[in-house]
Structure formats: structure tokens, C-alpha cells
């Protein structure tokens, strides 16, 4: 199961990152402004936000296998159709924006579904549909013993929970930086150092490796290193290095510690809820966080256009958001389970 979830996440990340590479030659060919680039990059997140809440609610009812398959099918078909929309980008970018919105809508199914699978399979004593002890006579659409109504959801308790607010604020801070990095890092290399697509892609390898390492070691050292992430971007905002490799190191440190969220709000979501509401809690805290990340992607383009491509403003604002998110999580979160 872990192997399949990993492969699915890789497929999702590949479809998501592809546009950050393709946007460089597209912008040159069609003379896109930074605001237009931000619009194209942010629509995937907007599509994600449109579907994340119902996807989280259905995570407690429908078969995870069917949900995952439907999500992969939707974002794959939209990705296949994306090159067709690029052909018309010179006259209108609307078809491209629609395609990217559909990719995001399909990908929104991935994380709530993964959350339910991990919540069910990790504890040995958990028994449910599509879990280690699947009933032979059960159908594949949903479990008759696990029918949930939207009225049954603990809406009031989630809204009043300090822990849920802590998860949301930390998720929002992470999304601000993660969405901006995914959409704009290659463009930063291109605009700041005049590096083409291939060179920018090579410079993005080290930050990706740092992210893998950060996610793996997060469990043992996340609490001790939360300040390193905003520090790296603060230094980058204070002085943009003359050499691209030096900027790459700053970005790598940022991405590496950004992935420490696997031991932060990601793990906190599992601690706060049981299998029934794990997907919903993730979606409820994720929806506004995704909208904030979407806004960050678009706002980055507006800032660059208004400031004459002053990347120091972009990285400085990002560092400030990280600090606020970390402080909020430390103050508000407790590990007690609230939503069974």
C-alpha cells in the first residue's frame, strides 16, 4: 500500500510540476507578464480547492480504491488535453486555465484518500471496508456499516478546536511557501540568472533531494529545527547571491525543512481524529490553506510585475509567513484526540 501511495504521489507531483517547467518557454513565446504566469500556475490550486471539501467528506464513505482511480483518471485526462490548449494560448489562455483547474480537481482526491488509508492500515486493530480485513460479501462502493451524513460531521467542534486552527495555520504557511516554490523557482532561476529550461531543471534537483531527506529525518528533529526554514529565505531576501549555485543552496535548505511538515501538521491530523473523520479534518483545514497558497502564487506574479522583478520582496514575505505559521502552531496545538 505504501508503495502504491508513493507511486501515485509521484505521478501527481509530476503533473503538477510540469507546468512550472513549460511556463518558461511558453512565457517567451506568448510574451506573458508575471501576473499571467501567476494566473496559470494558481488555477491548479483553485481546482484543488473546489473539490477538496467534498473529497474529504467522501473519504469516510466511498471505497478508497474507486476514489483514487477516479482522481487519477480525471487529472490524467486533463493533463493529456493540456498541450491542445497551449496551441490556442496566443489568442486566449482560458482553455489552458480550465485544463489546469481540472488537473487540480483530480489531484484533490489524493491526500484525503491517502489519509484514510494510512489511518486504517497503520493501527492493527482497525477493521473497515478496504482495510486489511476486507469483508468478502461487501460491495466496492461503500461500507453499509460506515454510512455518514454531512449532518453527522463535528463541524462545531472542528471550528472551535484550537488544534484544528493550529493545523490550518501551519498548513497555510507551508502552502504559501510550497505553492510559490513549485510555481516560481524555475522562473526565478530564469529571470534572475538568465538560465534556460534545462539549466533551471538541473538547479531544481538539489532542492528536491533536500525535500526527500527532510521528510525522512523529520520525525527525530523537526521540533529543534523549525527556525531554519524562515532563516534561509530571510537570508535570500536580504541578499540575492551573484551565483546561481548559492541561491540553489538557500532554496534547497528551504525545501528540505519545508518537508518537515510530515512530522508536524500532517502527523497532527492523524492524532486529532480517528478513521471516520481523518479525511474530513484534513479537507476542512486544507481548503482555506489551499486558497491561501493559490493566492500566494498569483500575488507573487503581481509583486514581481509591480516591483520590476524584485525577488527580495517575494522571499522576505515568504519568510515572514513561515515565522507566523510556526509560532501559531506552537501556541495552539495539543496532541489530544478530539474527533473519533
Amino acid at each position: 500500500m505504501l508503495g502504491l501511495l508513493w507511486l501515485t504521489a509521484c505521478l501527481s507531483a509530476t503533473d503538477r510540476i510540469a507546468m512550472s517547467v513549460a511556463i518558461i518557454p511558453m512565457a517567451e513565446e506568448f510574451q506573458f507578464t508575471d501576473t499571467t504566469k501567476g494566473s496559470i500556475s494558481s488555477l491548479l490550486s483553485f481546482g484543488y480547492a473546489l473539490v477538496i471539501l467534498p473529497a474529504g467528506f467522501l473519504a469516510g464513505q466511498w471505497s478508497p480504491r474507486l476514489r483514487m482511480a477516479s482522481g487519477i483518471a480525471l487529472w490524467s485526462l486533463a493533463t493529456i488535453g493540456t498541450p491542445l490548449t497551449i496551441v490556442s494560448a496566443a489568442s486566449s489562455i482560458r482553455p489552458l486555465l480550465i485544463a489546469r483547474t481540472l488537473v487540480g480537481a483530480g489531484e484533490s482526491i489524493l491526500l484525503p484518500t491517502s489519509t484514510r488509508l494510512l489511518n486504517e492500515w497503520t493501527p492493527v486493530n482497525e477493521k473497515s471496508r478496504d482495510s486489511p480485513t476486507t469483508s468478502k460479501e461487501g460491495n466496492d462502493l461503500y461500507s453499509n456499516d460506515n454510512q455518514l451524513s454531512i449532518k453527522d460531521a463535528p463541524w462545531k467542534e472542528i471550528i472551535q478546536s484550537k488544534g484544528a486552527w493550529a493545523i490550518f495555520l501551519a498548513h497555510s504557511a507551508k502552502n504559501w511557501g510550497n505553492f510559490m516554490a513549485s510555481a516560481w523557482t524555475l522562473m526565478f532561476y530564469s529571470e534572475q540568472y538568465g538560465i534556460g529550461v534545462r539549466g533551471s531543471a538541473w538547479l531544481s534537483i538539489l532542492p528536491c533531494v533536500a525535500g526527500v531527506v527532510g521528510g525522512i529525518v523529520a520525525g527525530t528533529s523537526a521540533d529543534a529545527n523549525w527556525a531554519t526554514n524562515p532563516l534561509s529565505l530571510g537570508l535570500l531576501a536580504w541578499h540575492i547571491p551573484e551565483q546561481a549555485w548559492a541561491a540553489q543552496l538557500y532554496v534547497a535548505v528551504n525545501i528540505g525543512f519545508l518537508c518537515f511538515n510530515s512530522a508536524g501538521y500532517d502527523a497532527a491530523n492523524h492524532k486529532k481524529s480517528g478513521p471516520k473523520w481523518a479525511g474530513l479534518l484534513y479537507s476542512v483545514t486544507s481548503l482555506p490553506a489551499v486558497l491561501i497558497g493559490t493566492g500566494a502564487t498569483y500575488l507573487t506574479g503581481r509583486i514581481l510585475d509591480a516591483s520590476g522583478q524584485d525577488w527580495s520582496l517575494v522571499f522576505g514575505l515568504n519568510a515572514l509567513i513561515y515565522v507566523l505559521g510556526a509560532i501559531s502552531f506552537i501556541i495552539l496545538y495539543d496532541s489530544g484526540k478530539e474527533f473519533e
Side-chain angles (χ1 to χ4, degrees):
M1 184 201 68
L2 291 175
L4 289 173
L5 291 180
W6 178 80
L7 289 172
T8 305
C10 286
L11 177 62
S12 171
T14 301
D15 286 343
R16 191 183 315 119
I17 295 299
M19 184 53 67
S20 66
V21 179
I23 196 70
I24 297 177
M26 286 172 57
E28 294 177 357
E29 180 177 352
F30 301 115
Q31 297 299 301
F32 290 155
T33 64
D34 284 322
T35 300
T36 300
K37 299 172 196 172
S39 299
I40 294 172
S41 298
S42 65
L43 261 292
L44 181 142
S45 304
F46 179 72
Y48 186 99
L50 285 177
V51 182
I52 187 65
L53 193 58
F57 179 72
L58 292 175
Q61 300 189 73
W62 286 16
S63 160
R65 290 177 293 179
L66 291 180
R67 282 199 320 276
M68 191 73 81
S70 64
I72 294 173
L74 177 58
W75 89 58
S76 297
L77 289 173
T79 301
I80 291 171
T82 299
L84 302 177
T85 67
I86 295 176
V87 175
S88 63
S91 58
S92 174
I93 64 169
R94 185 174 298 176
L96 176 59
L97 298 180
I98 293 174
R100 296 305 290 170
T101 301
L102 291 176
V103 172
E107 293 195 353
S108 69
I109 297 173
L110 172 62
L111 289 180
T113 304
S114 299
T115 297
R116 177 185 167 185
L117 286 169
L118 290 171
N119 213 318
E120 288 187 351
W121 281 71
T122 302
V124 178
N125 62 332
E126 294 290 347
K127 313 292 185 183
S128 183
R129 185 75 216 145
D130 284 354
S131 70
T133 55
T134 298
S135 171
K136 294 181 179 179
E137 61 273 8
N139 61 53
D140 278 335
L141 183 59
Y142 54 80
S143 169
N144 292 328
D145 295 331
N146 196 30
Q147 286 299 284
L148 305 176
S149 167
I150 195 169
K151 296 184 294 184
D152 297 331
W155 300 110
K156 182 178 179 180
E157 290 80 2
I158 290 176
I159 293 173
Q160 294 177 344
S161 169
K162 289 184 178 180
W165 277 96
I167 295 171
F168 153 63
L169 293 172
H171 198 159
S172 298
K174 183 256 186 179
N175 275 5
W176 185 287
N178 191 39
F179 285 26
M180 195 281 290
S182 298
W184 287 100
T185 297
L186 297 186
M187 190 61 65
F188 165 66
Y189 293 139
S190 176
E191 293 182 353
Q192 190 70 30
Y193 301 104
I195 299 174
V197 175
R198 181 175 298 179
S200 297
W202 277 110
L203 286 175
S204 69
I205 292 177
L206 181 60
C208 292
V209 173
V212 172
V213 175
I216 293 174
V217 302
T220 58
S221 55
D223 291 340
N225 290 283
W226 69 270
T228 308
N229 201 16
L231 178 62
S232 65
L233 285 191
L235 292 174
L236 191 57
W238 178 61
H239 175 66
I240 303 293
E242 298 294 331
Q243 297 81 19
W245 64 265
Q248 181 193 34
L249 289 179
Y250 283 123
V251 174
V253 171
N254 169 47
I255 298 299
F257 285 99
L258 193 64
C259 290
F260 273 51
N261 73 81
S262 60
Y265 74 81
D266 271 353
N269 182 75
H270 296 286
K271 291 287 290 183
K272 279 295 176 188
S273 60
K276 184 164 62 173
W277 302 119
L280 180 65
L281 179 61
Y282 181 90
S283 295
V284 168
T285 56
S286 177
L287 174 57
V290 168
L291 292 175
I292 288 174
T294 302
T297 304
Y298 176 76
L299 182 61
T300 297
R302 295 300 297 263
I303 291 174
L304 291 172
D305 273 339
S307 64
Q309 296 184 333
D310 186 353
W311 286 91
S312 295
L313 292 175
V314 172
F315 292 125
L317 179 59
N318 203 339
L320 175 62
I321 297 297
Y322 282 158
V323 171
L324 295 177
I327 292 175
S328 299
F329 190 80
I330 291 171
I331 292 175
L332 295 175
Y333 184 72
D334 67 86
S335 59
K337 181 165 288 189
E338 299 182 41
F339 315 110
E340 291 287 356

